Short mmCIF file of all heavy atoms in Angstrom, two decimals:
data_model
loop_
_atom_site.label_atom_id
_atom_site.label_comp_id
_atom_site.label_asym_id
_atom_site.label_seq_id
_atom_site.Cartn_x
_atom_site.Cartn_y
_atom_site.Cartn_z
N TYR O 1 18.55 18.90 20.43
CA TYR O 1 18.26 17.61 19.79
C TYR O 1 19.48 16.70 19.85
O TYR O 1 19.35 15.47 20.00
CB TYR O 1 17.82 17.81 18.35
CG TYR O 1 17.18 16.59 17.75
CD1 TYR O 1 15.95 16.12 18.23
CD2 TYR O 1 17.78 15.88 16.71
CE1 TYR O 1 15.35 14.99 17.69
CE2 TYR O 1 17.19 14.75 16.17
CZ TYR O 1 15.99 14.31 16.66
OH TYR O 1 15.40 13.19 16.12
N THR O 2 20.68 17.28 19.78
CA THR O 2 21.91 16.50 19.89
C THR O 2 22.02 15.85 21.26
O THR O 2 22.42 14.68 21.38
CB THR O 2 23.14 17.39 19.62
OG1 THR O 2 23.06 17.92 18.30
CG2 THR O 2 24.43 16.62 19.78
N VAL O 3 21.67 16.60 22.31
CA VAL O 3 21.69 16.04 23.68
C VAL O 3 20.68 14.90 23.79
O VAL O 3 20.96 13.85 24.38
CB VAL O 3 21.38 17.14 24.72
CG1 VAL O 3 21.22 16.53 26.11
CG2 VAL O 3 22.47 18.19 24.73
N TRP O 4 19.51 15.07 23.21
CA TRP O 4 18.48 14.04 23.24
C TRP O 4 18.96 12.73 22.61
O TRP O 4 18.67 11.63 23.09
CB TRP O 4 17.22 14.55 22.53
CG TRP O 4 16.22 13.51 22.13
CD1 TRP O 4 15.84 13.20 20.86
CD2 TRP O 4 15.43 12.67 22.98
NE1 TRP O 4 14.88 12.22 20.87
CE2 TRP O 4 14.60 11.87 22.17
CE3 TRP O 4 15.35 12.51 24.37
CZ2 TRP O 4 13.72 10.94 22.67
CZ3 TRP O 4 14.46 11.58 24.89
CH2 TRP O 4 13.65 10.81 24.05
N LEU O 5 19.76 12.83 21.57
CA LEU O 5 20.25 11.65 20.86
C LEU O 5 21.49 11.03 21.49
O LEU O 5 21.87 9.92 21.13
CB LEU O 5 20.56 12.01 19.40
CG LEU O 5 19.38 12.44 18.53
CD1 LEU O 5 19.87 12.83 17.14
CD2 LEU O 5 18.33 11.34 18.44
N ASP O 6 22.11 11.75 22.42
CA ASP O 6 23.37 11.32 23.02
C ASP O 6 23.12 10.28 24.13
O ASP O 6 22.68 10.62 25.22
CB ASP O 6 24.11 12.53 23.59
CG ASP O 6 25.51 12.19 24.07
OD1 ASP O 6 25.87 11.00 24.09
OD2 ASP O 6 26.24 13.14 24.44
N HIS O 7 23.45 9.04 23.86
CA HIS O 7 23.22 7.95 24.82
C HIS O 7 24.14 8.03 26.03
O HIS O 7 23.92 7.31 27.02
CB HIS O 7 23.39 6.60 24.12
CG HIS O 7 22.35 6.34 23.07
ND1 HIS O 7 21.13 5.78 23.34
CD2 HIS O 7 22.36 6.59 21.73
CE1 HIS O 7 20.41 5.68 22.23
NE2 HIS O 7 21.14 6.17 21.24
N ASN O 8 25.16 8.87 25.97
CA ASN O 8 26.06 9.01 27.11
C ASN O 8 25.52 10.00 28.15
O ASN O 8 26.05 10.08 29.25
CB ASN O 8 27.43 9.49 26.63
CG ASN O 8 28.14 8.44 25.79
OD1 ASN O 8 28.10 7.25 26.11
ND2 ASN O 8 28.78 8.87 24.70
N GLN O 9 24.48 10.73 27.78
CA GLN O 9 23.88 11.70 28.71
C GLN O 9 22.94 10.98 29.68
O GLN O 9 22.40 9.91 29.39
CB GLN O 9 23.08 12.75 27.93
CG GLN O 9 23.91 13.62 27.01
CD GLN O 9 24.65 14.72 27.76
OE1 GLN O 9 24.40 14.98 28.94
NE2 GLN O 9 25.58 15.37 27.09
N ALA O 10 22.75 11.58 30.87
CA ALA O 10 21.82 11.01 31.86
C ALA O 10 20.40 11.12 31.33
O ALA O 10 20.07 11.97 30.50
CB ALA O 10 21.95 11.78 33.18
N ASP O 11 19.54 10.22 31.84
CA ASP O 11 18.14 10.23 31.41
C ASP O 11 17.50 11.60 31.60
O ASP O 11 16.79 12.09 30.71
CB ASP O 11 17.34 9.19 32.21
CG ASP O 11 17.69 7.76 31.85
OD1 ASP O 11 18.13 7.53 30.71
OD2 ASP O 11 17.53 6.87 32.70
N SER O 12 17.74 12.21 32.76
CA SER O 12 17.12 13.51 33.05
C SER O 12 17.56 14.57 32.06
O SER O 12 16.76 15.40 31.62
CB SER O 12 17.46 13.94 34.48
OG SER O 12 18.87 14.04 34.65
N ALA O 13 18.85 14.56 31.69
CA ALA O 13 19.37 15.54 30.76
C ALA O 13 18.77 15.35 29.37
O ALA O 13 18.41 16.32 28.69
CB ALA O 13 20.90 15.45 30.68
N ARG O 14 18.65 14.09 28.94
CA ARG O 14 18.12 13.81 27.61
C ARG O 14 16.64 14.20 27.52
O ARG O 14 16.21 14.84 26.55
CB ARG O 14 18.28 12.32 27.27
CG ARG O 14 19.73 11.88 27.13
CD ARG O 14 19.84 10.42 26.74
NE ARG O 14 19.31 10.18 25.39
CZ ARG O 14 19.20 8.97 24.85
NH1 ARG O 14 19.55 7.90 25.56
NH2 ARG O 14 18.73 8.83 23.63
N VAL O 15 15.87 13.85 28.54
CA VAL O 15 14.44 14.15 28.54
C VAL O 15 14.21 15.65 28.61
O VAL O 15 13.36 16.20 27.90
CB VAL O 15 13.73 13.42 29.69
CG1 VAL O 15 12.30 13.94 29.87
CG2 VAL O 15 13.71 11.92 29.43
N THR O 16 14.97 16.34 29.45
CA THR O 16 14.84 17.80 29.56
C THR O 16 15.17 18.47 28.24
O THR O 16 14.48 19.40 27.80
CB THR O 16 15.74 18.35 30.67
OG1 THR O 16 15.33 17.80 31.93
CG2 THR O 16 15.66 19.86 30.75
N ALA O 17 16.23 18.00 27.58
CA ALA O 17 16.63 18.59 26.30
C ALA O 17 15.53 18.39 25.25
O ALA O 17 15.22 19.32 24.48
CB ALA O 17 17.94 17.96 25.82
N TYR O 18 14.95 17.20 25.22
CA TYR O 18 13.91 16.93 24.22
C TYR O 18 12.65 17.74 24.51
O TYR O 18 11.97 18.22 23.59
CB TYR O 18 13.60 15.44 24.17
CG TYR O 18 12.75 15.03 22.98
CD1 TYR O 18 13.15 15.33 21.68
CD2 TYR O 18 11.56 14.33 23.16
CE1 TYR O 18 12.39 14.95 20.58
CE2 TYR O 18 10.79 13.94 22.07
CZ TYR O 18 11.21 14.26 20.78
OH TYR O 18 10.45 13.88 19.70
N LYS O 19 12.34 17.89 25.80
CA LYS O 19 11.19 18.71 26.18
C LYS O 19 11.38 20.15 25.68
O LYS O 19 10.47 20.74 25.08
CB LYS O 19 11.01 18.71 27.70
CG LYS O 19 9.93 19.66 28.19
CD LYS O 19 9.91 19.77 29.70
CE LYS O 19 8.90 20.82 30.16
NZ LYS O 19 8.88 20.97 31.64
N LEU O 20 12.57 20.71 25.92
CA LEU O 20 12.85 22.08 25.48
C LEU O 20 12.88 22.18 23.96
O LEU O 20 12.48 23.20 23.39
CB LEU O 20 14.17 22.56 26.07
CG LEU O 20 14.18 22.77 27.59
CD1 LEU O 20 15.59 23.10 28.08
CD2 LEU O 20 13.22 23.88 27.99
N TYR O 21 13.36 21.13 23.31
CA TYR O 21 13.37 21.10 21.84
C TYR O 21 11.95 21.21 21.30
O TYR O 21 11.68 22.00 20.38
CB TYR O 21 14.03 19.79 21.40
CG TYR O 21 13.95 19.52 19.91
CD1 TYR O 21 14.73 20.24 19.01
CD2 TYR O 21 13.10 18.53 19.41
CE1 TYR O 21 14.67 19.99 17.65
CE2 TYR O 21 13.04 18.27 18.05
CZ TYR O 21 13.82 19.00 17.17
OH TYR O 21 13.75 18.75 15.82
N ILE O 22 11.04 20.45 21.88
CA ILE O 22 9.64 20.50 21.44
C ILE O 22 9.00 21.82 21.84
O ILE O 22 8.31 22.47 21.03
CB ILE O 22 8.84 19.32 22.03
CG1 ILE O 22 9.34 18.00 21.46
CG2 ILE O 22 7.34 19.48 21.77
CD1 ILE O 22 8.70 16.76 22.08
N TRP O 23 9.24 22.25 23.08
CA TRP O 23 8.61 23.47 23.60
C TRP O 23 9.03 24.70 22.79
O TRP O 23 8.19 25.51 22.38
CB TRP O 23 9.00 23.66 25.07
CG TRP O 23 8.25 24.75 25.76
CD1 TRP O 23 8.47 26.10 25.66
CD2 TRP O 23 7.13 24.60 26.65
NE1 TRP O 23 7.57 26.79 26.44
CE2 TRP O 23 6.75 25.89 27.07
CE3 TRP O 23 6.45 23.50 27.16
CZ2 TRP O 23 5.69 26.12 27.94
CZ3 TRP O 23 5.41 23.73 28.04
CH2 TRP O 23 5.02 25.01 28.42
N ASN O 24 10.32 24.84 22.56
CA ASN O 24 10.84 26.03 21.88
C ASN O 24 10.65 25.99 20.36
O ASN O 24 10.53 27.04 19.72
CB ASN O 24 12.32 26.22 22.19
CG ASN O 24 12.59 26.52 23.65
OD1 ASN O 24 11.74 27.05 24.35
ND2 ASN O 24 13.77 26.16 24.13
N GLY O 25 10.60 24.79 19.82
CA GLY O 25 10.58 24.68 18.37
C GLY O 25 9.24 24.38 17.74
O GLY O 25 9.01 24.72 16.57
N TYR O 26 8.32 23.77 18.50
CA TYR O 26 7.10 23.27 17.87
C TYR O 26 5.80 23.55 18.64
O TYR O 26 4.75 23.67 18.03
CB TYR O 26 7.20 21.74 17.66
CG TYR O 26 8.34 21.35 16.76
CD1 TYR O 26 9.61 21.08 17.28
CD2 TYR O 26 8.17 21.26 15.39
CE1 TYR O 26 10.66 20.73 16.45
CE2 TYR O 26 9.22 20.90 14.55
CZ TYR O 26 10.46 20.64 15.10
OH TYR O 26 11.50 20.30 14.27
N LEU O 27 5.86 23.63 19.96
CA LEU O 27 4.65 23.60 20.76
C LEU O 27 3.66 24.70 20.42
O LEU O 27 2.44 24.46 20.37
CB LEU O 27 5.01 23.66 22.25
CG LEU O 27 3.89 23.32 23.23
CD1 LEU O 27 3.26 21.97 22.92
CD2 LEU O 27 4.42 23.31 24.66
N PHE O 28 4.15 25.89 20.16
CA PHE O 28 3.24 27.01 19.91
C PHE O 28 3.17 27.42 18.44
O PHE O 28 2.31 28.21 18.07
CB PHE O 28 3.65 28.21 20.79
CG PHE O 28 3.62 27.87 22.25
CD1 PHE O 28 4.78 27.51 22.91
CD2 PHE O 28 2.43 27.85 22.95
CE1 PHE O 28 4.76 27.17 24.25
CE2 PHE O 28 2.39 27.50 24.29
CZ PHE O 28 3.56 27.16 24.95
N SER O 29 4.05 26.86 17.63
CA SER O 29 4.01 27.16 16.19
C SER O 29 3.40 26.01 15.40
O SER O 29 2.71 26.23 14.40
CB SER O 29 5.42 27.46 15.66
OG SER O 29 6.29 26.36 15.89
N ARG O 30 3.63 24.79 15.86
CA ARG O 30 3.09 23.61 15.18
C ARG O 30 2.57 22.61 16.21
O ARG O 30 3.09 21.48 16.32
CB ARG O 30 4.17 22.98 14.30
CG ARG O 30 4.66 23.87 13.17
CD ARG O 30 5.84 23.27 12.44
NE ARG O 30 5.52 21.97 11.87
CZ ARG O 30 6.44 21.16 11.32
NH1 ARG O 30 7.71 21.53 11.29
NH2 ARG O 30 6.09 20.02 10.81
N PRO O 31 1.59 22.98 17.01
CA PRO O 31 1.12 22.09 18.08
C PRO O 31 0.55 20.77 17.58
O PRO O 31 0.55 19.77 18.31
CB PRO O 31 0.04 22.92 18.78
CG PRO O 31 -0.41 23.91 17.75
CD PRO O 31 0.82 24.23 16.96
N ASP O 32 0.10 20.76 16.33
CA ASP O 32 -0.46 19.53 15.78
C ASP O 32 0.58 18.43 15.64
O ASP O 32 0.23 17.24 15.60
CB ASP O 32 -1.10 19.81 14.41
CG ASP O 32 -0.13 20.46 13.44
OD1 ASP O 32 0.50 21.45 13.83
OD2 ASP O 32 0.00 19.97 12.30
N THR O 33 1.87 18.79 15.58
CA THR O 33 2.92 17.80 15.44
C THR O 33 3.40 17.25 16.78
O THR O 33 4.07 16.21 16.83
CB THR O 33 4.14 18.39 14.71
OG1 THR O 33 4.76 19.38 15.54
CG2 THR O 33 3.73 19.02 13.39
N VAL O 34 3.06 17.94 17.87
CA VAL O 34 3.60 17.59 19.18
C VAL O 34 3.06 16.26 19.68
O VAL O 34 3.78 15.48 20.32
CB VAL O 34 3.30 18.72 20.20
CG1 VAL O 34 3.68 18.29 21.62
CG2 VAL O 34 4.05 19.98 19.81
N GLU O 35 1.80 15.96 19.38
CA GLU O 35 1.20 14.70 19.83
C GLU O 35 2.06 13.52 19.38
O GLU O 35 2.34 12.61 20.16
CB GLU O 35 -0.22 14.56 19.26
CG GLU O 35 -1.04 13.43 19.86
CD GLU O 35 -1.85 13.87 21.06
OE1 GLU O 35 -2.07 15.07 21.23
OE2 GLU O 35 -2.26 12.98 21.83
N LEU O 36 2.50 13.55 18.14
CA LEU O 36 3.32 12.47 17.61
C LEU O 36 4.75 12.54 18.14
O LEU O 36 5.33 11.51 18.52
CB LEU O 36 3.32 12.53 16.08
CG LEU O 36 4.10 11.42 15.36
CD1 LEU O 36 3.51 10.04 15.72
CD2 LEU O 36 4.05 11.62 13.86
N MET O 37 5.32 13.73 18.19
CA MET O 37 6.70 13.88 18.66
C MET O 37 6.86 13.40 20.09
O MET O 37 7.87 12.79 20.45
CB MET O 37 7.14 15.34 18.56
CG MET O 37 7.24 15.88 17.14
SD MET O 37 7.69 17.64 17.10
CE MET O 37 9.39 17.56 17.67
#
């Protein structure tokens, strides 16, 4: 999540980090929240 918020990171790095943040933290435990996230 820190990488996702870091404006100095490349677009690809930020998007990949946020994808993994959602995938590892919410996708299979709280899928109802993913639509909004």
Side-chain angles (χ1 to χ4, degrees):
Y1 195 67
T2 298
V3 173
W4 164 244
L5 295 177
D6 187 353
H7 294 273
N8 293 319
Q9 296 281 349
D11 290 333
S12 59
R14 294 182 67 185
V15 169
T16 298
Y18 192 55
K19 174 188 175 181
L20 292 174
Y21 172 73
I22 294 175
W23 189 282
N24 295 334
Y26 299 90
L27 193 53
F28 301 97
S29 59
R30 297 173 59 189
D32 55 310
T33 68
V34 172
E35 191 91 19
L36 182 60
M37 293 178 69

